[in-house]
Amino acid sequence: LKSLTLLDLRYNKLTSVPDTIGNLVRLKQLYIRFNKLDSLPDSIGNLTELETLSLRNNRLVALPLSVCKLVSLVTFDIQHNHIKELPDLSNCRKLRVIDLQYNQIEVIPRGLGSLGALQNLSLKY
């Protein structure tokens, strides 16, 4: 599985993701939409080639600080969760789309001003 570039786990009943997901270092697209996740392992930060991370419609209340290591990330979709605050995303300089709709954002994410490639930021509730 070390050469896997796309992992699609949509529409399951997953409550967790194994820490070993961090071993999929060639992964470019990760879809874990419509599950029952309430957290992610810190090892998610090992996926430095990841371009798309879609976690919409889960039960996430926070994200690990290690998401700041996702330097290749272009699309970050975490709408319809329970997230109140994001870690500093300023290292994710390739980010073009951040979709935070229908969360409980209390603080505008730090580092957004330094994301020169950002084209679409959705924060509506």
Side-chain angles (χ1 to χ4, degrees):
L1 292 178
K2 291 196 178 206
S3 59
L4 192 68
T5 59
L6 184 143
L7 180 57
D8 190 343
L9 300 169
R10 292 183 278 193
Y11 296 99
N12 286 289
K13 295 179 182 178
L14 300 175
T15 57
S16 65
V17 175
D19 198 49
T20 53
I21 196 160
N23 297 337
L24 303 175
V25 295
R26 305 233 184 222
L27 207 57
K28 294 194 180 296
Q29 298 176 54
L30 177 57
Y31 299 93
I32 317 178
R33 297 174 169 190
F34 297 94
N35 280 282
K36 297 179 179 186
L37 299 180
D38 58 12
S39 66
L40 291 173
D42 284 333
S43 66
I44 198 94
N46 297 345
L47 306 178
T48 56
E49 292 186 22
L50 196 64
E51 296 173 358
T52 301
L53 178 56
S54 182
L55 301 166
R56 86 171 43 184
N57 292 83
N58 277 286
R59 298 175 180 171
L60 297 169
V61 295
L63 296 168
L65 292 176
S66 62
V67 299
C68 302
K69 297 177 183 177
L70 302 177
V71 295
S72 298
L73 203 59
V74 174
T75 302
F76 192 22
D77 176 9
I78 51 175
Q79 67 172 279
H80 290 277
N81 278 284
H82 307 288
I83 295 171
K84 294 181 180 180
E85 185 175 355
L86 281 183
D88 183 358
L89 297 172
S90 59
N91 288 335
C92 303
R93 299 193 183 274
K94 295 182 180 181
L95 265 174
R96 281 190 239 153
V97 176
I98 302 174
D99 194 340
L100 291 167
Q101 295 180 76
Y102 304 104
N103 276 284
Q104 299 169 3
I105 301 297
E106 295 176 348
V107 178
I108 299 295
R110 294 183 52 205
L112 288 183
S114 65
L115 298 177
L118 192 62
Q119 297 173 355
N120 185 333
L121 173 62
S122 297
L123 293 165
K124 76 177 182 180
Y125 189 83

